Amino acid sequence: MPGSQAAHRTGGGLLHPREIDWVIMGVYFVFVLGVGYTLRRYMKTSTDYFLSGRSIPAWVAGLAFLSANLGAQEVIGMAASGAKYGMATSHFYWVGAIPAMVFLAVFMMPFYYGSQARSVPEYLKLRFDEKTRGLNAISFATMTVFSSGVSMYAMGLLLNLLLGWDFDTSVWLSAAVVLIYILLGGLTSAIYNEVLQFFLIVFGFAPLVFLGLKDLGGWQGLSARLAQVATSQGFAPQAWSSTWSQMGDATSNPMGVEWFGVAMGLGFVLSFGYWCTDFLVVQRAMAAHSMSAARRTPLIAAVPKMLFPFLVIVPGMIAIASSLRAGASGFVLPHKADGTLNYDLSIPMMLSHYFPHGMLGLGLTALLASFMSGMAGNVTAFNTVWTYDIYQAYIHRNASDHHYLNMGRVATVFGIALSVAAASVANHFNNIMDMLQLLFAFVNAPLFATFLLGMFWKRATGHGAFSGLLAGTAAAALHHALTLPRGSVPGIKGGWLTLLHAYPSEMAQNFWTAIWAFSVCFGVTVAVSLITRPRPEKELVGLVYSLTPRVREADQAWYGRPAVLGASVLAATLILNLLFW
Amino acid sequence: MGLDIRVPLGVMFTILGFLLAGFGLFSDPAIYQRSLGIDVNLWWGLVLLLFGTLMLWLGWRAAHRTH
């Protein structure tokens, strides 16, 4: 993102939409609000509002599952990483997201959906105890508000730059739209709009990638140019166009990580922590109409997800490759105030370079859609956790269902207001993704150890889980306080106690923070569990793997069963890894 | 729940398809220089139109099955 000085620019922007572009954006807004308006009369109970009455078909839940995560950090951040690190960014998908989504579907969903918990923190209460739920609920609520703020901040800066809109106006305007459609239609409205947004994003960006690749002479032409990018920075020619071939050593790839950090830090800890425990995504599956639909939700999402690198990472690679041939037909990424290239502008620059009026409107709509789906996902997760896990649990027990429904609406309003406030905090990192990964590392990385032990080890106790979570988060903070990415100054990037180790890059530091947090949480949970009294086994039926009857999928054809679907998804992902090795 | 999402999805993309393809038919060809000489509005508008009608058809079929 450009520096904060850009926030005060007014007047003309980078793109100059015409009537047709505005009409296309207008059509989208009419439908977004129209869906909320149509759904308002179905919102009768708090279950309707927070869980869509558990009535959503699998394919809708699946696309929403994907779209809720498709906010600014995904679209802008992944393209930025594509420019900065090249094809290796797809590790976030092919090592990270997909295996985690399959694990969620096959192994974890039976407990989330089967326990009838209304949220992820509520599962923790059922499995462990009140304090573990409280800790998770509060940290999660804080994190969602912050993520939503980051999304808004990115959008405000971008709209200012692209359209010349005032920063505050665009933040408040988009906040108002999201507010209206969630107030009216709750989670269903968010999910339905996420489906619209999903298709808009695909239809808005696919032609961009097509034109960019065609312009550069296909994948071959792109790789040839990326080889120049790589060698000019002292890396092997294939450093930008391959996923694994340069991962043997942290110094031979622009990410500054080695295969172990990728596989353990990103693949195992961070991605499983996010996709398997983050209520933002899990909520979509919980809204599905049946257990089998809930289990298929992440698997349906995994299919488009494995192709998303071509939609969101390749544009960044095209942008950096294109910057090489300035003067010819290429375009150059603008520089930031500190002289580095502004990678976050990869997609906007491509929009302005390749799209004529008409398609420009569609591309801008896709961008707006991604910002809104990211924001709405956070807001619906926040209002549910706030209402069920904080308000109902600690502030006002035993009120009428109608009371909680109204509380959900109030929480939607102040959740959005808090995100607007959080937008101003999001000013420090030049790559949004790095900051979010850091946050997830602190909060989510230890969490996956808790769920893993909770679901698969019946001996794990509430005291163990609680102390493990605290220790894990403390370990993350401590690791961050003692290490620093090379070339950074101590402060928000780490090293604020003293400097014990310098990592080649911020990403390597984040991965290792996650690995430490997970390991400490795992170890402390096991140790404390062994010295505390376990809950009687009969209380844990439906919550722990070994005490729960296997879900029978007899009504499903063999090819529709989660294990078979999951294995196919993994096989396809493996092939993608090999193709782009 | 109450509303089949394929219907609004279908209507929206049909409208967007008509808008884009229509604009593509009547716009000055010079604006397609940036898109490598391809009238992307027309072609992509047709794709959206196709997708929109497919969704409408699926939604319509589902509504008639349940009634």
Side-chain angles (χ1 to χ4, degrees), chain A residues 131-306:
Chain A
K131 61 180 180 302
T132 312
R133 180 250 282 265
L135 178 66
N136 180 238
I138 289 162
S139 63
F140 178 80
T142 316
M143 195 175 73
T144 42
V145 166
F146 196 81
S147 296
S148 166
V150 168
S151 202
M152 279 191 190
Y153 160 81
M155 188 203 56
L157 286 188
L158 200 69
L159 291 189
N160 178 262
L161 192 75
L162 298 185
L163 303 173
W165 289 1
D166 174 62
F167 180 83
D168 294 322
T169 313
S170 28
V171 166
W172 285 106
L173 191 74
S174 57
V177 173
V178 171
L179 178 70
I180 291 170
Y181 79 73
I182 297 181
L183 266 186
L184 289 171
L187 180 66
T188 317
S189 188
I191 287 181
Y192 279 11
N193 275 313
E194 279 155 8
V195 175
L196 294 187
Q197 285 148 353
F198 169 81
F199 285 108
L200 271 170
I201 292 165
V202 172
F203 283 120
F205 293 154
L208 197 60
V209 177
F210 172 79
L211 289 173
L213 275 180
K214 188 170 158 57
D215 193 24
L216 293 176
W219 182 259
Q220 228 95 58
L222 175 64
S223 308
R225 275 176 219 284
L226 289 172
Q228 276 174 272
V229 174
T231 45
S232 73
Q233 296 186 35
F235 293 106
Q238 66 273 37
W240 254 260
S241 50
S242 71
T243 53
W244 287 105
S245 70
Q246 303 304 311
M247 287 285 150
D249 189 272
T251 55
S252 61
N253 64 75
M255 269 187 183
V257 286
E258 76 299 319
W259 64 272
F260 185 80
V262 169
M264 287 305 294
L266 173 64
F268 186 59
V269 179
L270 281 177
S271 296
F272 280 70
Y274 177 73
W275 292 99
C276 299
T277 71
D278 197 303
F279 184 52
L280 166 73
V281 287
V282 175
Q283 186 178 29
R284 270 78 197 147
M286 282 181 171
H289 63 59
S290 64
M291 168 73 90
S292 89
R295 293 183 79 194
R296 274 179 289 139
T297 295
L299 296 172
I300 290 169
V303 176
K305 182 80 182 171
M306 76 173 88

Side-chain angles (χ1 to χ4, degrees), chain A residues 282-369:
Chain A
V282 175
Q283 186 178 29
R284 270 78 197 147
M286 282 181 171
H289 63 59
S290 64
M291 168 73 90
S292 89
R295 293 183 79 194
R296 274 179 289 139
T297 295
L299 296 172
I300 290 169
V303 176
K305 182 80 182 171
M306 76 173 88
L307 301 175
F308 262 61
F310 303 109
L311 211 58
V312 296
I313 297 173
V314 171
M317 294 160 62
I318 293 172
I320 194 79
S322 210
S323 294
L324 272 182
R325 45 167 199 176
S329 67
F331 60 91
V332 188
L333 283 176
H335 288 265
K336 281 191 290 199
D338 63 1
T340 55
L341 283 177
N342 194 341
Y343 299 111
D344 287 319
L345 288 183
S346 298
I347 284 186
M349 286 306 291
M350 282 185 66
L351 284 178
S352 97
H353 186 73
Y354 289 115
F355 274 0
H357 290 291
M359 283 304 290
L360 182 64
L362 190 68
L364 279 171
T365 309
L367 263 186
L368 286 175

Side-chain angles (χ1 to χ4, degrees), chain A residues 20 24 31 42 52 55 59-60 188 192 196 199 203 207 211 214-215 352-359 362, chain B residues 1-3 5-6 8-9 11-13 15-16 19-20 23 31-32 34-36 38 40-41 44 48 51:
Chain A
I20 178 75
I24 289 175
F31 274 85
Y42 300 109
S52 300
S55 67
W59 73 273
V60 174
T188 317
Y192 279 11
L196 294 187
F199 285 108
F203 283 120
L211 289 173
K214 188 170 158 57
D215 193 24
S352 97
H353 186 73
Y354 289 115
F355 274 0
H357 290 291
M359 283 304 290
L362 190 68
Chain B
M1 151 175 295
L3 171 73
I5 184 62
R6 286 172 290 197
L9 199 59
V11 177
M12 185 176 84
F13 276 99
I15 294 176
L16 290 179
L19 280 172
L20 273 182
F23 185 73
I31 68 169
Y32 298 111
R34 60 175 60 208
S35 54
L36 318 174
I38 305 169
V40 278
N41 284 332
W44 204 245
L48 297 191
F51 176 75

